[in-house]
Amino acid sequence: MRNEKCEFTEAEEDTFEPKENPILSHEELNSDENAGPSQPESLEKGRIKIRVRNLSLFYGPTQALKQVYMKILRQSVTALIGPSGCGKSTFLRTLNRMNDTIPGVRIEGRVRIDNIDIYGPQINVVALRRVVGMVFQKSNPFPKSIFDNVAYGPRLHRIKSRITLKEIVESSLKKAALWDEVKDRLHQSAMELSGGQQQRLCIARALAVNPEILLMDEPASALDPISTGKIEELIHSLKENYTIIIVTHNMQQAARISDYTAYFYLGSLVEYGTTKKIFTNPERKETEDYVTGRFG
Ligand SMILES: Nc1ncnc2c1ncn2[C@@H]1O[C@H](COP(=O)(O)OP(=O)(O)O)[C@@H](O)[C@H]1O
Ligand SMILES: [Mg+2]
């Protein structure tokens, strides 16, 4: 349960849930669920937010994801690790259909969020991307004021709300742990902020449209250690209300902030487990070599 859910009433056309046949049957839900590497046992004690089944992705002739099965727990941090080019960013982008915009992409398999097939025909992709927000490695604030950056999404989605835009901006900046640093200069350009502040602003911008899932692709890898620490603290506090999936190259970071870790190699999910298990007692030698830095 979200304890601080903003009281947004979505406009009719901005709903991500398809109108017809949205819920899959019990059989469909559970068929073939456990192919691929074993899923962490403790997942089953919580509520699953995302179910990926037999997912393959091709860029033209190149297969970048190979039959991935993965269940992701809500209100947790799941880290994706693996060497460059193993498909982490590609996988992340399949969760909000960001790959749709790349020409020549073909996707097989299924991704379900709250039991809704996000590749189903009635899905409103714009609404999906509101529910599944994304933060990139390189912070990308718009050349607008701090206020307008955060207000951008709510204005775009014409979110009808019982709270004002000003209140949405304030609460989003607070959730992103940036409010105290910017509250007296909301109308200054976002480009004047430091790199770490810009990244937290991008997180605030993502939060402002009231998402449920946050995808983060190496969100701290361009930042200094102090800014990185702030982002890590922030991620830790956000998981209370959001499902977070983060790509990181930094093993210590994955170990510090995530509950579950998935190790990818050459487009396959090699091993998936609690972060503790992956880092202290992995089942596969390949995983151990990678997390201990013996790989490549
Ligand atoms: N837009 C694209 N067009 C073609 N190939 C791509 C594209 N993006 C990624 N790839 C290829 O897909 C594979 C996985 O890439 P990526 O998901 O970016 O890996 P990672 O994030 O783990 O470094 C790589 O072989 C990469 O070259
Ligand atoms: Mg990447």
Side-chain angles (χ1 to χ4, degrees), residues 1 17 30 53 55 62 77 86 135 207 252 260 271 287:
M1 274 287 117
E17 302 195 13
N30 292 309
R53 176 149 71 94
L55 181 73
T62 313
V77 178
C86 70
V135 175
L207 297 177
Q252 287 78 27
Y260 295 92
E271 186 165 348
T287 311

Side-chain angles (χ1 to χ4, degrees), residues 84-85 87-90 93 137 217-218 247 249:
S84 243
K88 305 178 295 296
S89 298
T90 299
R93 289 196 299 262
Q137 173 178 3
D217 199 346
E218 303 189 45
V247 171
H249 267 125

